[in-house]
Amino acid sequence: MKNKSFHMHHSAFGAFSSFIIGKIGKGGGFVLSDVRPPQSNILIGFKQEGKIKLLPFCTISDNSAEEEFTGEVADTKKEKSIELFSENEINREIGWASDTWSAGNFKFSLITPFGNVKEPSIMTDEEKKFAFAPVIFAKLTLDNTNSTSDAEMIFGIEGLKRRLSQTTDNKYLGAAFSTQYGFGISNSEDVRELSRLDILTSWANDNYQNHDLGRAPSLIFKVPKGSSKTYTIVLATYQSGIITTGINSKFYYTEVFNSLEEVIEFGLKNADYYLNLAAQRDKELSESNLNEHRKFLIAHATHSYHANTQLMKKEDGNALWIVNEGEYIMMNTFDLTIDHVFWEMKFHPWTVANVLDLFVERYSYYDQAGLAFTHDMGVANGFSPKGYSSYELPNLNGCFSYMTHEQLLNWTLTAGVYALKLNDKEWVAKNINIFEECFKSLISRDKNNDGIMDVDSSRCESGSEITTYDSLDVSLGQARNNLYLGMKSWAAYVLLNTILEKNGHKELAEKALKRANIAADTIVSKFDEKEGYIPAVFEKGNTSRIIPAVEALVYPYVVGNVDAVSETGTYGELIKILKKHIKTILRPGICIDEVSGGWKLSSTSKNTWNSKIFLSQYVIKEILNMNFGDDVEKEWDRVHESWQQVSCSEEAATDQVNSDTGTARGSRLYPRLVTSILWMK
Amino acid sequence: MKNKSFHMHHSAFGAFSSFIIGKIGKGGGFVLSDVRPPQSNILIGFKQEGKIKLLPFCTISDNSAEEEFTGEVADTKKEKSIELFSENEINREIGWASDTWSAGNFKFSLITPFGNVKEPSIMTDEEKKFAFAPVIFAKLTLDNTNSTSDAEMIFGIEGLKRRLSQTTDNKYLGAAFSTQYGFGISNSEDVRELSRLDILTSWANDNYQNHDLGRAPSLIFKVPKGSSKTYTIVLATYQSGIITTGINSKFYYTEVFNSLEEVIEFGLKNADYYLNLAAQRDKELSESNLNEHRKFLIAHATHSYHANTQLMKKEDGNALWIVNEGEYIMMNTFDLTIDHVFWEMKFHPWTVANVLDLFVERYSYYDQAGLAFTHDMGVANGFSPKGYSSYELPNLNGCFSYMTHEQLLNWTLTAGVYALKLNDKEWVAKNINIFEECFKSLISRDKNNDGIMDVDSSRCESGSEITTYDSLDVSLGQARNNLYLGMKSWAAYVLLNTILEKNGHKELAEKALKRANIAADTIVSKFDEKEGYIPAVFEKGNTSRIIPAVEALVYPYVVGNVDAVSETGTYGELIKILKKHIKTILRPGICIDEVSGGWKLSSTSKNTWNSKIFLSQYVIKEILNMNFGDDVEKEWDRVHESWQQVSCSEEAATDQVNSDTGTARGSRLYPRLVTSILWMK
């Protein structure tokens, strides 16, 4: 691929840990209970005839680590020949579950297996081990077939401290930091550990004497002349003890693994299973009929999503699912949960119910209008008090105000998708009263009965509600009389209609239907025939044009209600109007940025959000059947890809960017971009 | 005091954690399982009439944290009036267990209580709680007596995440990071928590609304007009689970405390006990007849020593004592253990036996000459394999070579001091065979029977042994035929004589006495009558002059063998010669640095070590009764104080410095400077 220099998370499912690498010259490393990249030197490469060549994830210092240590000038300066591969010598290939660098005869892959995950309570211990082992893998290959001299490869991370052989009776070789992370491989004649204060100088000079004051304990792999060798190592993390407060919980994997060493052993013994799992995912993405840019965007999003996942076990023995919010590390932010629902319904739908239940149990409240839900459940492993998020504050009109109405819709829609798509009757039966309460609460927030929210929550006190687009301008930021939220309300009524009807609440179901019709009529009535668009806010002469007008169409569609989103269906008029709206605004200077050619969510803000672009792309193409031509669409994807690969290269998957430059404005290292999973059939 | 801007560790006994602060402009913060200072903003100060004044441990940013968060420019820029006290407005006072900053009517103290600690196995749980609670204290005072407006004080640390009220049912207020560290105070009407993204702007504008995305959750203390108020808070750390590998162990305090919250509660309930304990120590140091420089040096050393201490519990239930080696974090480095013996014999002698036993059990080995001990027990919480240190390597002649002979002496001398000073007969009985083995091993390393080591360990292979002065030049670095080690051998024989005799090994005891005499004679014979000194190494025409020639006199002396160190005693000739030696070399241009006026351990190296200077100062003044005049001696102390306060101001207690500038060469953040405890009667 053309752009190679960008960071990527490499993470196991639910372990809230990453090995981050990819931005050339910026190093990388492990990070635990966080998603921000460290800048440690990473040693990956090979030595042949005394010459070392490494991938460009470290800096070669002229200082001698030994001199630094002793405060004296070393007696004998050893020569070393070390070169970093330059960017143009390297090729990088991203699979759904792999990230591969090749340079000449050398190849390095990071492999992050993932697949379907069952609810833990119905798993055997063995199944739990396979599903929750906090492991990823790395593969190093050197093709030395045509050479007449032996070679060696290296893998090492600065900052690790101890050699793995010492805590495994020499059964495994590798390195670790404390009891918390490390890497390993089974002991064999082809591999050895090397720890030195100045490891590259020592290695260059064939000094293999281990020194446990070393700063980057490494593995050295033999590649004899005339052979091609591939070595697979496991990278593992382990966080023990109580991790979250407010609700005390431990990592679920600590139930089946007692130490980092046990995790590494399990990973190595079952490497074939995991590599096969990853290969399956790679194949699926590769064989999809998506263009190369979309394939990349899905893979990139997947990596950062997994980096933010955290599967815990509460003191009552039950599983607790958390997705963290990228650089902000808020926990289970509800306006992300609803965007993750497409991913989670595909791979582990039970996590959706897990989060919805905790919202009901602990993160719901009643304001003057009825039931509502909080924005999030806390921040940085600290669960916030019952009924309160870490984000929302009273007496504000912008960022950090309450999102009461949006979160009420988020529960209704997320629960609706879960209930209707999975047909989990037991769960619906338990929660049917919550659906009813949500319906009542929605209605009482629409004082003028036009289907659109017009009452702010009493929790706002003197302030007013906002939407998930908190830092965008008023076009998407204000909740009251908002087109985007109006459409979400409509979708909620459509889903409520189905759920209530299926569960024998015929009268209420009809009421919901009526509400959906009223909302649709109201939105249609706001259409500006002359200009061909619906204004973003039905107040104060607002003239912003927004793409997320169509976002909510996704919910009826994914639960199979094709009628609701059809031009010839129940809401045909609305659908026709929305298509006109999109046709009008998806133009340079309106919602296509004139500088970059990428999508702008709002005509009046340069702040644009990738996760929401992907979602709307899906709606416009797949649901509204609007075709802008393959070349045009591919060019859009190329621009969005370049925002991630070039403009946000140090921030892994990034949601909020400037639409002209693609540079990050916020929401870095973010899980939400997995809305792109919708693109896959 | 004149110099105020230097870092200091503030640590509880055995918790291997610190709150570091003191270098102006460099912030500070908590550090766990490490001793290196973080650079977080620390908020300490007060607000009156909308104006905030803070101690200079934070930087005031013009950027708005809220803007940064949202990626948008905030609607309303709030003015804030914030000033940092300048260095000359501040006074700083260091007590043995306190560190106090005053500025105008404001005062801030960090209080680090310590005292005698019994062996854990004979303690009740309640005693363990008092002795091992990982707590220190801070006191904030504002004298608002003469003011007509109410004021408030603040204490906060950037990087903490959650408010303590949330995990204590509002019983305690404060802040914490994860389950690992934090601070707190009992809930009352006079105190509140404040967490804001941009806390200083909010506080300046009287905005007390808590926002749990805050970056420096703080405590705010009321000080009404016309009153003077003092608030005491507890600072605590908590590290759960298996911490060390190689030998698995947990922090001993986790046996009696289940969480950070329990530790904070205990600290607050027993604050009086702890403050009283600290006050006793402050009083003892203050009332000692030492000059101000020595008082400071003892206090400074004490703080860094405690920062490096780590009391663990092994899986067999027994206590495990570790002192870490400053920036290198090697564990129980033996050449530090012997220097800590004076401190530990005073406050917790059982830790000496604890370490000696582990050296015998796991960190001893046999080479061609007999029993020997390793340099250390591992590094960074990783115990090294049985029989091996993390430091020593074969085939070297300098730094990182084996210290076999020195460590053999270190066991003999440390064990001798412990046995004779404490008269622990049970322990001696158990270990008398080890003393014998040590004696045999010492003899077989002296091939020419002159009392001085001349055989390198077979572990060196082609290399040769070094001494603890590893990074000094050959004058102190080479072990073979070394004056410093020769004197240590002499001292070992002197102590062995007493121990063997007391335990009925009369014949061996006499042998030891004979050896001591031979060693003394040899050293005396090396005296250069013309130049008036003994050369550092009895080889190759070496002419270095070294102060540590006299170091080993301390061991017979502290066990009460006054005869051995007397000019009129058994070794009178040796003592006389040593006095002449010191008289010759303690001169500018030889062992007094001509630039700084401080002590140089060796005439041929600028690398000088504070811990060893203090030890030799004690020997020369107290044991050899050499008097250089109060003014001269005080000036030496002033220079050594300024090395710590000025030249090494960012590195807390530092051992290895350049003798001309006082700047650090190595051994930063070091425990070893507690040799200064010898100065106290």
Side-chain angles (χ1 to χ4, degrees):
Chain A
M1 59 200 295
K2 197 178 139 240
N3 307 310
K4 303 148 202 167
S5 175
F6 52 87
H7 265 328
M8 203 158 183
H9 290 112
H10 301 90
S11 310
F13 172 85
F16 198 14
S17 65
S18 298
F19 182 72
I20 306 176
I21 199 167
K23 177 68 186 174
I24 290 174
K26 291 288 177 181
F30 280 103
V31 63
L32 273 63
S33 282
D34 203 342
V35 287
R36 286 169 295 185
Q39 296 202 15
S40 301
N41 284 324
I42 312 292
L43 310 177
I44 305 166
F46 62 91
K47 179 181 81 166
Q48 196 150 31
E49 291 175 352
K51 284 180 189 164
I52 296 173
K53 294 213 76 172
L54 300 173
L55 293 180
F57 303 127
C58 60
T59 49
I60 308 300
S61 161
D62 282 337
N63 298 332
S64 156
E66 303 199 4
E67 285 175 22
E68 247 176 69
F69 187 95
T70 61
E72 295 285 332
V73 175
D75 283 352
T76 49
K77 273 249 179 193
K78 290 281 175 74
E79 285 303 310
K80 55 187 173 186
S81 158
I82 302 167
E83 262 179 45
L84 301 184
F85 283 107
S86 68
E87 188 166 348
N88 56 27
E89 291 178 283
I90 296 172
N91 192 26
R92 186 177 188 183
E93 221 178 309
I94 308 283
W96 204 359
S98 64
D99 182 0
T100 302
W101 302 76
S102 2
N105 297 330
F106 178 70
K107 203 159 90 172
F108 174 76
S109 302
L110 280 162
I111 294 148
T112 44
F114 67 93
N116 297 321
V117 182
K118 290 196 290 186
E119 212 278 305
S121 68
I122 58 166
M123 283 187 182
T124 64
D125 275 0
E126 195 63 10
E127 286 175 323
K128 285 177 188 170
K129 284 189 179 181
F130 276 98
F132 307 141
V135 290
I136 64 169
F137 296 82
K139 263 166 116 168
L140 295 100
T141 300
L142 186 67
D143 184 349
N144 206 19
T145 319
N146 298 320
S147 165
T148 54
S149 63
D150 293 345
E152 287 177 342
M153 295 188 288
I154 190 169
F155 181 81
I157 303 171
E158 196 182 76
L160 271 61
K161 281 288 179 187
R162 60 187 179 88
R163 291 184 289 130
L164 195 64
S165 60
Q166 299 181 345
T167 48
T168 61
D169 278 330
N170 289 307
K171 210 168 157 193
Y172 302 103
L173 306 181
F177 176 84
S178 176
T179 53
Q180 295 167 36
Y181 53 85
F183 58 88
I185 192 167
S186 292
N187 197 346
S188 81
E189 282 194 356
D190 297 335
V191 188
R192 61 171 137 203
E193 293 171 336
L194 182 57
S195 180
R196 299 286 304 171
L197 270 174
D198 190 341
I199 186 169
L200 293 178
T201 306
S202 296
W203 191 37
N205 291 285
D206 296 334
N207 182 348
Y208 295 99
Q209 192 182 49
N210 273 305
H211 194 193
D212 285 323
L213 299 181
R215 293 170 183 189
S218 298
L219 283 170
I220 305 287
F221 312 90
K222 291 186 191 167
V223 188
K225 57 190 171 194
S227 74
S228 174
K229 286 273 200 175
T230 295
Y231 294 91
T232 302
I233 63 180
V234 66
L235 283 71
T237 65
Y238 193 85
Q239 298 181 68
S240 68
I242 301 288
I243 299 291
T244 62
T245 56
I247 300 171
N248 285 354
S249 72
K250 301 181 174 200
F251 273 95
Y252 208 101
Y253 60 69
T254 61
E255 156 121 345
V256 285
F257 296 107
N258 289 307
S259 67
L260 180 69
E261 278 75 4
E262 281 188 24
V263 172
I264 290 174
E265 176 163 58
F266 185 85
L268 289 170
K269 283 192 173 157
N270 299 287
D272 285 348
Y273 164 83
Y274 286 111
L275 296 182
N276 186 44
L277 187 65
Q280 263 178 270
R281 291 293 93 74
D282 278 357
K283 189 161 179 277
E284 282 166 23
L285 186 67
S286 156
E287 291 180 354
S288 74
N289 60 354
L290 299 170
N291 67 45
E292 60 190 302
H293 313 302
R294 292 201 162 193
K295 283 178 185 166
F296 166 77
L297 287 167
I298 289 174
H300 199 49
T302 301
H303 281 76
S304 286
Y305 171 80
H306 281 133
N308 281 283
T309 60
Q310 183 173 8
L311 180 62
M312 307 300 285
K313 185 169 184 169
K314 289 186 294 185
E315 286 174 340
D316 66 9
N318 291 321
L320 168 60
W321 177 251
I322 302 164
V323 182
N324 291 282
E325 194 186 342
E327 60 172 322
Y328 311 125
I329 36 178
M330 279 180 272
M331 301 151 84
N332 287 336
T333 303
F334 214 161
D335 28 328
L336 270 70
T337 304
I338 190 169
D339 285 331
H340 300 155
V341 73
F342 315 110
W343 177 277
E344 296 188 358
M345 288 304 292
K346 188 175 165 82
F347 288 104
H348 35 78
W350 58 272
T351 63
V352 178
N354 189 286
V355 171
L356 289 170
D357 289 344
L358 190 56
F359 267 111
V360 171
E361 182 191 319
R362 187 175 161 104
Y363 292 103
S364 56
Y365 59 90
Y366 281 83
D367 64 5
Q368 91 286 4
L371 181 62
F373 300 90
T374 62
H375 168 271
D376 61 73
M377 299 184 175
V379 60
N381 281 334
F383 278 95
S384 52
K386 204 167 155 53
Y388 287 89
S389 69
S390 64
Y391 175 97
E392 292 156 309
L393 294 177
N395 304 316
L396 295 174
N397 298 298
C399 206
F400 307 127
S401 180
Y402 273 88
M403 295 188 193
T404 307
H405 192 253
E406 172 134 35
Q407 307 311 349
L408 175 61
L409 290 168
N410 285 344
W411 198 94
T412 312
L413 290 166
T414 308
V417 168
Y418 175 80
L420 293 170
K421 220 170 140 69
L422 201 72
N423 201 17
D424 182 344
K425 284 179 187 161
E426 197 188 331
W427 188 86
V428 175
K430 259 191 220 156
N431 287 282
I432 190 69
N433 65 320
I434 307 294
F435 281 107
E436 285 174 51
E437 291 278 307
C438 286
F439 184 36
K440 271 191 249 171
S441 185
L442 282 173
I443 289 175
S444 66
R445 288 165 210 278
D446 172 16
K447 215 170 169 185
N448 67 356
N449 288 311
D450 66 351
I452 309 296
M453 174 267 200
D454 46 34
V455 177
D456 286 303
S457 171
S458 52
R459 280 233 178 156
C460 294
E461 301 180 21
S462 73
S464 55
E465 283 182 37
I466 58 171
T467 79
T468 184
Y469 294 98
D470 53 0
S471 63
L472 256 154
D473 68 350
V474 68
S475 67
L476 277 159
Q478 167 185 323
R480 210 172 53 245
N481 288 320
N482 175 300
L483 169 59
Y484 151 73
L485 268 198
M487 280 298 300
K488 266 181 102 164
S489 300
W490 166 81
Y493 293 133
V494 171
L495 264 63
L496 280 168
N497 168 41
T498 314
I499 287 163
L500 291 166
E501 191 170 271
K502 277 197 172 181
N503 286 274
H505 295 263
K506 220 168 176 180
E507 204 179 322
L508 271 181
E510 262 167 45
K511 261 195 187 172
L513 185 63
K514 199 176 275 174
R515 280 277 152 177
N517 273 302
I518 292 171
D521 290 348
T522 300
I523 292 163
V524 167
S525 78
K526 303 296 181 184
F527 185 65
D528 181 329
E529 283 288 353
K530 190 169 150 247
E531 301 285 343
Y533 79 101
I534 315 168
V537 182
F538 312 146
E539 271 186 19
K540 298 176 190 162
N542 181 290
T543 58
S544 291
R545 282 87 158 149
I546 57 165
I547 296 174
V550 300
E551 187 176 311
L553 296 178
V554 74
Y555 306 110
Y557 184 78
V558 297
V559 300
N561 189 344
V562 179
D563 167 75
V565 297
S566 157
E567 284 179 83
T568 57
T570 312
Y571 311 98
E573 199 57 29
L574 175 67
I575 304 305
K576 280 182 204 157
I577 291 284
L578 286 170
K579 288 183 80 159
K580 284 186 194 167
H581 172 87
I582 290 298
K583 210 172 163 187
T584 303
I585 70 171
L586 221 50
R587 284 189 203 160
I590 307 176
C591 288
I592 301 293
D593 189 277
E594 281 183 299
V595 176
S596 69
W599 284 29
K600 272 175 67 153
L601 293 179
S602 162
S603 63
T604 48
S605 176
K606 279 204 315 187
N607 190 346
T608 196
W609 299 22
N610 287 278
S611 65
K612 297 298 202 177
I613 291 173
F614 304 159
L615 179 45
S616 290
Q617 282 184 309
Y618 173 74
V619 170
I620 289 166
K621 177 88 177 179
E622 177 73 20
I623 306 179
L624 295 179
N625 297 306
M626 295 177 75
N627 203 325
F628 293 83
D630 280 358
D631 287 355
V632 172
E633 288 169 9
K634 196 176 170 188
E635 171 60 12
W636 285 336
D637 293 332
R638 190 198 60 77
V639 173
H640 302 153
E641 179 191 59
S642 81
W643 289 352
Q644 298 299 324
Q645 289 181 352
V646 182
S647 317
C648 299
S649 60
E650 287 188 47
E651 287 118 353
T654 299
D655 206 3
Q656 290 186 44
V657 304
N658 290 303
S659 59
D660 48 359
T661 58
T663 48
R665 282 179 87 108
S667 303
R668 296 161 183 88
L669 313 152
Y670 227 54
R672 197 184 213 173
L673 284 70
V674 286
T675 49
S676 52
I677 191 66
L678 284 164
W679 297 335
M680 281 190 82
K681 302 290 175 198
Chain B
M1 59 201 291
K2 196 177 139 241
N3 307 309
K4 302 149 201 167
S5 175
F6 52 87
H7 265 327
M8 202 159 183
H9 291 110
H10 301 90
S11 310
F13 172 86
F16 197 15
S17 66
S18 297
F19 182 72
I20 305 175
I21 199 166
K23 177 67 185 172
I24 290 175
K26 291 288 179 181
F30 279 104
V31 64
L32 272 62
S33 282
D34 203 343
V35 287
R36 287 170 294 186
Q39 296 203 16
S40 302
N41 284 322
I42 312 291
L43 310 177
I44 305 166
F46 61 91
K47 178 180 81 166
Q48 196 149 31
E49 292 175 351
K51 284 180 188 163
I52 296 173
K53 294 213 77 171
L54 300 173
L55 294 179
F57 302 126
C58 59
T59 49
I60 308 299
S61 162
D62 283 337
N63 299 333
S64 156
E66 303 199 5
E67 285 174 22
E68 246 177 70
F69 187 96
T70 63
E72 296 284 332
V73 175
D75 285 351
T76 48
K77 273 251 178 191
K78 290 278 176 74
E79 286 302 311
K80 55 186 174 185
S81 160
I82 303 168
E83 260 180 46
L84 300 184
F85 282 108
S86 69
E87 189 166 346
N88 55 27
E89 291 177 282
I90 297 172
N91 192 27
R92 187 177 187 183
E93 222 178 308
I94 308 283
W96 205 359
S98 64
D99 182 359
T100 302
W101 302 76
S102 4
N105 297 330
F106 178 70
K107 205 160 90 173
F108 174 76
S109 302
L110 281 161
I111 295 148
T112 44
F114 67 93
N116 297 321
V117 181
K118 291 195 290 187
E119 212 278 308
S121 68
I122 57 164
M123 283 188 183
T124 64
D125 275 1
E126 195 63 9
E127 286 175 325
K128 286 177 186 169
K129 284 188 179 181
F130 275 99
F132 307 141
V135 291
I136 63 168
F137 296 83
K139 262 166 119 169
L140 296 98
T141 300
L142 187 66
D143 184 350
N144 205 20
T145 318
N146 298 321
S147 163
T148 54
S149 62
D150 293 344
E152 288 177 343
M153 294 188 287
I154 191 169
F155 181 82
I157 304 170
E158 196 182 76
L160 271 60
K161 280 289 178 186
R162 60 186 179 89
R163 291 184 288 130
L164 195 65
S165 59
Q166 299 180 348
T167 48
T168 61
D169 279 330
N170 288 306
K171 210 167 155 193
Y172 302 102
L173 306 180
F177 176 84
S178 177
T179 52
Q180 298 166 34
Y181 53 86
F183 58 88
I185 191 168
S186 293
N187 197 346
S188 80
E189 283 193 355
D190 297 334
V191 188
R192 60 173 139 201
E193 294 172 334
L194 182 58
S195 180
R196 301 285 304 171
L197 270 173
D198 189 342
I199 186 168
L200 293 178
T201 305
S202 295
W203 190 39
N205 291 282
D206 295 333
N207 182 348
Y208 294 100
Q209 193 182 50
N210 273 305
H211 194 192
D212 284 324
L213 299 180
R215 292 170 183 190
S218 298
L219 283 170
I220 304 288
F221 311 90
K222 292 185 190 168
V223 188
K225 57 190 171 194
S227 74
S228 175
K229 286 271 200 178
T230 295
Y231 294 90
T232 302
I233 63 180
V234 66
L235 283 72
T237 65
Y238 193 86
Q239 298 181 70
S240 67
I242 301 289
I243 299 291
T244 62
T245 56
I247 300 171
N248 285 355
S249 71
K250 302 181 174 199
F251 273 95
Y252 209 103
Y253 60 71
T254 61
E255 156 123 344
V256 284
F257 296 107
N258 289 308
S259 66
L260 180 68
E261 278 75 3
E262 281 188 21
V263 172
I264 289 175
E265 177 164 58
F266 184 85
L268 289 170
K269 283 193 173 157
N270 300 287
D272 285 348
Y273 165 82
Y274 286 110
L275 296 183
N276 186 45
L277 187 65
Q280 264 178 268
R281 291 293 94 74
D282 278 358
K283 190 160 176 278
E284 281 166 22
L285 185 67
S286 157
E287 290 181 352
S288 74
N289 60 354
L290 299 170
N291 68 43
E292 60 190 303
H293 312 302
R294 291 200 164 194
K295 284 178 186 168
F296 167 77
L297 287 167
I298 289 175
H300 199 48
T302 301
H303 281 76
S304 286
Y305 171 79
H306 281 133
N308 281 284
T309 60
Q310 182 173 9
L311 179 61
M312 308 301 285
K313 186 170 183 167
K314 290 187 292 185
E315 286 174 340
D316 66 9
N318 291 322
L320 169 61
W321 178 250
I322 302 163
V323 182
N324 291 282
E325 194 187 340
E327 61 172 323
Y328 311 125
I329 35 178
M330 279 179 271
M331 301 150 85
N332 289 334
T333 303
F334 214 161
D335 27 330
L336 271 71
T337 303
I338 189 169
D339 285 330
H340 299 156
V341 74
F342 314 109
W343 177 277
E344 297 188 359
M345 287 306 291
K346 186 176 168 80
F347 288 106
H348 35 79
W350 59 272
T351 63
V352 177
N354 188 286
V355 171
L356 288 170
D357 288 346
L358 190 56
F359 267 110
V360 171
E361 182 192 320
R362 187 175 162 106
Y363 292 102
S364 56
Y365 59 88
Y366 281 83
D367 64 4
Q368 91 286 4
L371 181 63
F373 300 90
T374 62
H375 167 271
D376 59 76
M377 299 186 176
V379 61
N381 281 333
F383 278 96
S384 53
K386 204 164 155 52
Y388 286 89
S389 69
S390 63
Y391 174 99
E392 290 156 311
L393 295 177
N395 304 316
L396 295 174
N397 298 299
C399 205
F400 308 126
S401 181
Y402 274 88
M403 295 188 192
T404 308
H405 192 254
E406 171 134 36
Q407 307 311 350
L408 175 61
L409 291 168
N410 285 343
W411 198 94
T412 312
L413 290 166
T414 308
V417 168
Y418 175 80
L420 294 170
K421 220 171 141 68
L422 202 71
N423 202 17
D424 181 345
K425 285 178 186 161
E426 198 187 330
W427 189 86
V428 176
K430 260 191 219 154
N431 287 281
I432 190 68
N433 65 317
I434 306 295
F435 282 106
E436 287 175 50
E437 291 278 309
C438 287
F439 183 38
K440 271 192 247 168
S441 185
L442 282 173
I443 290 175
S444 66
R445 286 164 211 279
D446 173 17
K447 216 172 167 185
N448 66 357
N449 288 311
D450 65 352
I452 309 295
M453 174 269 198
D454 46 35
V455 177
D456 287 301
S457 170
S458 52
R459 279 235 178 155
C460 293
E461 300 179 21
S462 72
S464 56
E465 283 183 40
I466 57 170
T467 79
T468 184
Y469 295 96
D470 52 2
S471 62
L472 256 154
D473 67 353
V474 71
S475 66
L476 278 158
Q478 167 185 324
R480 212 176 47 247
N481 288 319
N482 176 300
L483 169 59
Y484 151 74
L485 269 197
M487 278 299 299
K488 267 180 101 165
S489 301
W490 166 81
Y493 294 132
V494 171
L495 265 63
L496 280 168
N497 168 40
T498 313
I499 286 163
L500 292 166
E501 190 171 87
K502 277 197 175 183
N503 286 272
H505 294 263
K506 219 166 173 184
E507 204 177 323
L508 271 180
E510 262 167 45
K511 262 194 186 173
L513 184 63
K514 198 175 278 177
R515 280 276 153 181
N517 274 303
I518 292 170
D521 290 349
T522 300
I523 292 163
V524 167
S525 78
K526 303 294 180 184
F527 186 66
D528 181 329
E529 283 288 352
K530 192 171 148 243
E531 301 285 341
Y533 79 102
I534 315 167
V537 182
F538 312 147
E539 271 187 18
K540 297 174 189 160
N542 181 289
T543 57
S544 293
R545 282 88 158 148
I546 55 164
I547 296 174
V550 299
E551 187 178 312
L553 297 179
V554 74
Y555 306 109
Y557 185 77
V558 298
V559 300
N561 189 345
V562 179
D563 166 75
V565 296
S566 157
E567 284 178 82
T568 58
T570 311
Y571 311 98
E573 199 56 29
L574 174 66
I575 304 304
K576 280 182 206 157
I577 293 282
L578 285 172
K579 288 182 80 159
K580 284 187 194 166
H581 172 87
I582 290 298
K583 210 170 163 191
T584 304
I585 70 171
L586 222 49
R587 285 190 202 159
I590 308 176
C591 288
I592 301 293
D593 188 277
E594 281 183 298
V595 176
S596 69
W599 283 31
K600 271 176 71 156
L601 293 180
S602 163
S603 64
T604 47
S605 175
K606 281 205 311 187
N607 190 347
T608 196
W609 299 20
N610 287 277
S611 64
K612 297 297 202 177
I613 291 174
F614 304 159
L615 178 46
S616 290
Q617 283 184 308
Y618 173 76
V619 170
I620 290 166
K621 175 89 176 177
E622 176 74 21
I623 305 179
L624 295 180
N625 297 306
M626 295 176 75
N627 204 325
F628 293 83
D630 281 358
D631 287 355
V632 171
E633 287 170 8
K634 195 174 170 189
E635 172 59 12
W636 286 335
D637 294 332
R638 191 199 60 76
V639 172
H640 302 152
E641 179 190 59
S642 82
W643 289 351
Q644 298 299 322
Q645 289 181 350
V646 182
S647 317
C648 300
S649 60
E650 287 187 47
E651 287 119 353
T654 299
D655 206 4
Q656 289 187 47
V657 304
N658 290 302
S659 59
D660 48 358
T661 58
T663 49
R665 282 179 90 108
S667 304
R668 297 160 183 88
L669 314 153
Y670 226 54
R672 197 186 213 171
L673 285 70
V674 287
T675 48
S676 51
I677 191 66
L678 284 165
W679 296 334
M680 281 189 83
K681 303 290 173 199

